[in-house]
Amino acid sequence: MKLTPEEKEMLNGKHGRAAQKSMEILTTLGDIFEAESMVKVYGVQIAGVSYANLGEAGLEFLNEMAEDGQVKVLTTLNPAGMDRENWQALGIDEEFAKNQNRVIDAFAKMGIITTCSCTPYLIGNTPHYGQHLAWAESSAVCYANSVIGARTNREGGPSALASAITGKTPDYGYHKENNRHGQVLFKINTSINGTDQFGVLGKLIGDKLGALEKKIPYISGIPEASVEELKSFCASVATYGGTALFHMEYITPEYDKYPKPSDLIFEINRDDLERARSELIDEDNEIDFISIGCPHATIHEIANIAKLLKDKKVKKEFWITTARPIKKLADAAGYSEIIENAGAKFAADTCCVVAPIKQRFKGIMVDSAKACYYGRAKNKFKVKLGTMEECIKEATK
Amino acid sequence: MKLIGRKIYKGTAEGQALVTKDGISFYGGVDPDTGEVVEVGHELEGHSVSGKILVFPSGKGSTVGSYTMYRMMKNNTAPAAIVNSDIDTIIAVGCIISEIPCVDKININNIKTGQNLIVNGTEGIVEVK
């Protein structure tokens, strides 16, 4: 790999231990994936924030990096294992809270903005078309590449941190134009509406791509899609198919930049969607937990929830997971008061995937296909996918 | 016999080979406190990787695996070195942050469990003694 004089200095330890370790990680990855050089990144999103995943060893690594490591570019964090202000009301134990705060303190020491959200693109880590990034968090990676047209590989926790500290990432994979063209065409012959239905479509396409061992779908036949629907689709197709980039005709910015795939074509009809949806609804599900906000809810979604919950009471545990700045916006707009008066709870900074809630509930209802996957696999819940309206109906009945 | 591969992480280690044809997931697949492989049905299930030259095709599973390797290094349960056919990012990053000598692009069919190996991660060479 060809390095600039500054990159060589980092590798030789002239800029400190954290920069040296970071450059070792990045040059090794660059050699493995045959990158010719490094590229400057505009911003970084770091995963591996929940203490439940990191443990003491991960924390020790972060503390070692924080001894002399400082980030060079805009860097934000993935959700933590708890709401940093409201953890007691959500049933998080004190020992966990203490350790979670030690993790966040280590990141803060390095100059990272401790937002703790999977939707950095809604709260200030907002790249534009064509910019290079080093993002972890599979749903945000998919959103950045596809909806924004920025360029990032799917990073892990340590490689994203290494890019934050050096401001660089090896130039391979999705950073290169010739790796960004669609591979499989999916023609949608039915209408798709709502976050839940876009999640179902993500699962359907993700499963199909997995079977074909392909990664980049090109989707046609969708006339319009909201930010919320695309956010849900990204999370789902990344979870089920490992997809980091898709093109959607007339919707995403690079749809006509590369040729439309013409050799691998699949049609998707109403009954295909119904079949995929039925796979996200378990039988004999005693629902005792409803969670909205996977990925983190937008202010528009929260406004809708407030409208639906006005003058009602929820009878089940109900979480709305979102980024702290969006929660503050909801406070100022008066939405939080309506929602909390109805008995629902905000869980900012965290989500139903990373919070330590394994086996705490029997059955979960969500409007997110991604939340179904982790609800089952990680938390051992029975799951039910529905529209947001259906979720609220279930909570208040 | 000298096998020439690609250097992944620097340093030299000598030890006994522990060879498997199965991929390894350190997160969930290996107990970081004992060094024992705990993945059900894995060829090495019940074997300890601690202090061994661990020889396997490639990593698999969650990216948290890199942190698990770091934890094993802190617990003194890590392998002495790692030899892969085609390394993946989880194992590569794990070796770098844990400072475990590592070489890939080696035909691992040439190595048998119990053989004495010298792994030179700096040069990318594995010597079978």
Side-chain angles (χ1 to χ4, degrees), chain A residues 21 24 33 57 60 64, chain B residues 10 70-71 74 89 96 99:
Chain A
K21 183 91 341 206
E24 280 178 1
F33 294 107
E60 200 171 323
E64 273 181 25
Chain B
K10 64 190 174 205
Y70 184 82
R71 187 165 158 194
K74 290 285 176 184
T89 54
I96 300 162
E99 309 195 337

Side-chain angles (χ1 to χ4, degrees), chain A residues 92-108:
Chain A
I92 304 295
D93 79 65
E94 202 172 337
E95 182 70 18
F96 182 87
K98 212 176 80 192
N99 287 325
Q100 182 62 73
N101 280 328
R102 288 165 64 214
V103 171
I104 292 169
D105 290 347
F107 283 123

Side-chain angles (χ1 to χ4, degrees), chain A residues 311-323:
Chain A
D311 301 325
K312 293 204 176 109
K313 287 280 175 209
V314 302
K315 302 195 176 72
K316 289 169 182 163
E317 184 83 1
F318 190 142
W319 288 12
I320 296 149
T321 56
T322 191

Side-chain angles (χ1 to χ4, degrees), chain A residues 17 20-21 24-25 28-29 31-34 47-48 52-55 57-58 60-62 64 155-159 172, chain B residues 6-10 27 63-64 66-68 70-74 87-90 92-93 95-99 104-105:
Chain A
R17 234 186 94 72
Q20 182 176 29
K21 183 91 341 206
E24 280 178 1
I25 292 172
T28 303
L29 292 178
D31 286 339
I32 293 170
F33 294 107
E34 295 171 358
N53 283 339
L54 278 172
E60 200 171 323
F61 172 74
L62 294 177
E64 273 181 25
E155 302 293 345
S159 64
Y172 70 94
Chain B
R6 175 170 70 169
K7 58 182 183 193
I8 298 293
Y9 195 75
K10 64 190 174 205
Y27 181 64
T63 55
V64 178
S66 307
Y67 286 126
T68 308
Y70 184 82
R71 187 165 158 194
M72 292 175 75
M73 181 269 288
K74 290 285 176 184
I87 200 159
D88 76 310
T89 54
I90 305 166
V93 171
C95 285
I96 300 162
I97 66 178
S98 318
E99 309 195 337
D104 88 329
K105 300 282 181 212

Side-chain angles (χ1 to χ4, degrees), chain A residues 114-131:
Chain A
T114 54
T115 41
C116 304
S117 174
C118 52
T119 55
Y121 50 86
L122 295 176
I123 51 162
N125 196 347
T126 45
H128 66 65
Y129 182 86
Q131 281 185 318

Side-chain angles (χ1 to χ4, degrees), chain A residues 279-357:
Chain A
E279 289 167 18
L280 298 173
I281 299 174
D282 287 327
E283 283 174 21
D284 305 321
N285 186 357
E286 281 176 63
I287 295 162
D288 55 358
F289 182 37
I290 289 101
S291 186
I292 305 264
C294 173
H296 273 168
T298 66
I299 192 66
H300 191 194
E301 286 176 303
I302 292 172
N304 278 336
I305 295 168
K307 206 155 88 186
L308 294 164
L309 279 180
K310 196 167 166 50
D311 301 325
K312 293 204 176 109
K313 287 280 175 209
V314 302
K315 302 195 176 72
K316 289 169 182 163
E317 184 83 1
F318 190 142
W319 288 12
I320 296 149
T321 56
T322 191
R324 174 86 36 207
I326 303 290
K327 164 70 168 52
K328 295 223 160 116
L329 203 52
D331 292 348
Y335 303 141
S336 304
E337 200 183 341
I338 297 169
I339 288 167
E340 282 165 354
N341 281 343
K345 294 171 186 168
F346 277 96
D349 317 312
T350 186
C351 76
C352 65
V353 172
V354 296
I357 52 171

Side-chain angles (χ1 to χ4, degrees), chain A residues 18-238:
Chain A
Q20 182 176 29
K21 183 91 341 206
S22 297
M23 205 36 99
E24 280 178 1
I25 292 172
L26 298 175
T27 50
T28 303
L29 292 178
D31 286 339
I32 293 170
F33 294 107
E34 295 171 358
E36 284 171 11
S37 61
M38 295 283 174
V39 61
K40 258 191 194 173
V41 294
Y42 154 82
V44 173
Q45 167 77 3
I46 289 181
V49 178
S50 176
Y51 180 78
N53 283 339
L54 278 172
E56 240 359 76
L59 179 56
E60 200 171 323
F61 172 74
L62 294 177
N63 279 330
E64 273 181 25
M65 293 295 273
E67 271 174 27
D68 69 351
Q70 279 295 309
V71 300
K72 282 195 153 177
V73 294
L74 175 64
T75 304
T76 49
L77 286 187
N78 238 24
M82 63 178 195
D83 184 300
R84 297 180 65 195
E85 292 176 9
N86 198 29
W87 52 269
Q88 273 157 322
L90 300 171
I92 304 295
D93 79 65
E94 202 172 337
E95 182 70 18
F96 182 87
K98 212 176 80 192
N99 287 325
Q100 182 62 73
N101 280 328
R102 288 165 64 214
V103 171
I104 292 169
D105 290 347
F107 283 123
K109 198 177 163 200
M110 290 185 263
I112 292 162
I113 304 171
T114 54
T115 41
C116 304
S117 174
C118 52
T119 55
Y121 50 86
L122 295 176
I123 51 162
N125 196 347
T126 45
H128 66 65
Y129 182 86
Q131 281 185 318
H132 295 280
L133 314 169
W135 279 18
E137 171 46 35
S138 63
S139 73
V141 165
C142 188
Y143 193 96
N145 273 324
S146 316
V147 181
I148 299 173
R151 296 174 183 201
T152 177
N153 289 317
R154 274 165 68 112
E155 302 293 345
S159 64
L161 180 60
S163 285
I165 287 172
T166 58
K168 302 287 174 79
T169 191
D171 192 11
Y172 70 94
Y174 294 109
H175 293 285
K176 300 289 225 188
E177 287 208 350
N178 55 6
N179 295 326
R180 293 177 66 89
H181 57 88
Q183 299 166 324
V184 186
L185 175 61
F186 290 91
K187 285 186 175 171
I188 315 299
N189 299 326
T190 178
S191 65
I192 311 254
N193 288 300
T195 46
D196 59 315
Q197 195 75 327
F198 270 83
V200 170
L201 181 67
K203 171 178 160 49
L204 191 57
I205 292 177
D207 286 345
K208 189 81 205 167
L209 289 169
L212 293 167
E213 295 188 11
K214 298 283 181 195
K215 291 284 178 207
I216 310 176
Y218 183 109
I219 300 141
S220 72
I222 294 183
E224 57 179 356
S226 67
V227 162
E228 288 77 12
E229 288 166 336
L230 290 169
K231 163 170 84 76
S232 179
F233 178 77
C234 286
S236 181
V237 78

